[in-house]
Amino acid sequence: MLSNAIKRCDVKTSDRCAVRVEKLRKVYPNGTIAVKGISFCVKRGEIFGFLGPNGAGKTTTVRMLVGLTTITSGRAEICGYDITRYGKRVKKHIGVVPDISNLYSELTCYQNLLFSAKMYGIKGETARRNVEEILRFFGLEKYRNTRFKALSKGLRRRLTIAAALVHNPRIVFLDEPTSGLDVVSRRLLWNKLVKLNSKGITIFLTTHNIYEAFSLSHRVAVINKGKIVAIGTPEELSRKFSVREVLEVGFYPRNPAPQELLDSLRGVLDAKMNSGRLELIIDDEIEALESLASYAKRRGLRISLLRLREADAEEVFLRIIGEEK
Amino acid sequence: MIDELEKAVYIAIKDLREYYMKPGSISWGILFPFVFALAFMFRHGGLTTWLAPGMISLALFFGATSMSGMSIVFERRIGSFERLLLFPISYTGVALGKTLSSFFLGLVSAIPVFLLAYLFIHVAPAHALLFLLAILLVSFSSSSFGVLLSFIIREPEQVMVVMNLVRFPMMFLSDVIIPVSLMPRYLSWIALTQPLTFMTETIRYAYMGSCDIVAPLVAYTVSFIMGLLFLLLAAYAIKRSRA
Ligand SMILES: Nc1ncnc2c1ncn2[C@@H]1O[C@H](COP(=O)(O)OP(=O)(O)O)[C@@H](O)[C@H]1O
Ligand SMILES: [Mg+2]
């Protein structure tokens, strides 16, 4: 039966992709082209990070995948089943955490979770057991009878995530689950996500935070302006885009133009002014330092500042999406 | 099918928990029809047997539509309406769930008005079972109408304004207050296009033993078909809302 095939998605289906997306496009009625023909495959059992800055098209992509918005063109399959055709069946086996915590404010934690369980067709004792389990898993037992509206932001987020898990889905979509949370809540959620994944649940996680994407995901797709600009394991992406080091330099009596340095030096990938300081992004420090010394000598300049530091993750991110800081 | 019905009931229960105490549901859904009926009573020196069915119909209509307005517009605004679309349930199932919660509030609104009529007119409905059926029918059709109407309203603050902009003309143009048979010709034609006219006629027939203008069977059939039609259109509106 179809439904069982989806349920077994993590065990045995002809398709190794839990989520397969081909040339997916989204044009909103107002003409905004939010997603411009993206393709990727989320492997069964992995944590797949979907990383991109605000407005990149992450939410739109998730909404298409879970049936909250129409697909303009292209295909999306969950465990081999087209989501437009088999929407209702597919929905049974996926969990979705929207980008906002949108549970029902007058309902208590328990009532909210039980409602979700029932809407997924889980009944009676099983439903209550699932709810108890998930309350425990997220450490929410003592808020059982607290109304959603009375919870703190972090707890609301936690409960919204819990509500997406009461029916033991095989695949969970989380749209910026940790956005706006404090460090402690964020860490706690990260741990929970890893734990869920170790139980075999495939996780599709969107984030604009490169630390989050790189530290949690097995693979990361980077999306910018509706297009996927890079895809790979965090290691592959770091190797490919990482600018290992940044060299801050200063010359006396004056700094040359960044472009001139870029043209004259070896081992330098990029040169730019950053808040009044000259920064060189280097891939070979020995070569860069040697050529820097001979350049200064040639031009009769003195080096007045020289400091080597690691590139921060944000710089790597900006580099991947091809934009300057 | 059973499965869809069951989930629709869960949605309705959830809605009732969430919205029955909201000011909009109480003031326009429950208080207004009652106060309105009271006012008429004093003006006419008592609720006439003519007015009673109209007031009951009005209470069902205002109660039901207020609830759908609250529950849909508000949820759509804060984003929790979409949760319903994540569950394995059809759009019609969701529309039915929303209709059921409104249906229930419609019934609740009608109780005080019914009691008022009963106390002051001392006339029991002519056909008790049919009266019950008519009440259920009117509440159902009003509910699906309210659900459909709610989809054109964007801002929660405007719910009651827009609702009333639609409800009041419907009330005065139908035969809730003035018998169609006494209306000028052109107005009576307009009254015959009003859903509320047919709905009220079902209650009137069951209550008084006679209709004002349309045959009882026509009134019941038209009310039911309209209710279904509104429900299907509401399901379509939900589907379309995923732009
Ligand atoms: N309902 C909508 N109608 C029109 N444009 C939209 C809508 N939702 C999002 N957009 C636009 O689509 C683009 C992608 O948005 P979104 O998917 O929300 O990005 P992200 O989640 O990565 O921040 C943005 O330019 C946004 O303004
Ligand atoms: Mg987003």
Side-chain angles (χ1 to χ4, degrees), chain B residues 69-88:
Chain B
M70 291 303 294
S71 92
I72 291 170
V73 181
F74 190 69
E75 281 191 6
R76 291 228 301 157
R77 192 24 176 284
I78 60 171
S80 48
F81 182 77
E82 289 196 334
R83 295 197 67 80
L84 301 177
L85 307 183
L86 295 173
F87 299 125

Side-chain angles (χ1 to χ4, degrees), chain A residues 43-93:
Chain A
K43 291 177 193 153
R44 280 181 273 132
E46 80 178 346
I47 300 184
F48 187 81
F50 203 58
L51 172 69
N54 283 337
K58 303 182 294 295
T59 297
T60 305
T61 305
V62 172
R63 289 171 63 83
M64 283 193 280
L65 292 179
V66 303
L68 283 184
T69 194
T70 52
I71 292 173
T72 305
S73 67
R75 285 166 64 76
E77 290 175 354
I78 306 252
C79 299
Y81 295 97
D82 190 290
I83 54 158
T84 317
R85 255 187 89 193
Y86 297 107
K88 201 178 149 189
R89 300 287 184 87
V90 168
K91 282 176 188 173
K92 252 192 156 109
H93 303 287

Side-chain angles (χ1 to χ4, degrees), chain A residues 28-30 32-34 52-61 99 175-176:
Chain A
Y28 280 110
N30 69 1
T32 307
I33 309 176
N54 283 337
K58 303 182 294 295
T59 297
T60 305
T61 305
D99 55 352
D175 195 0
E176 308 228 17

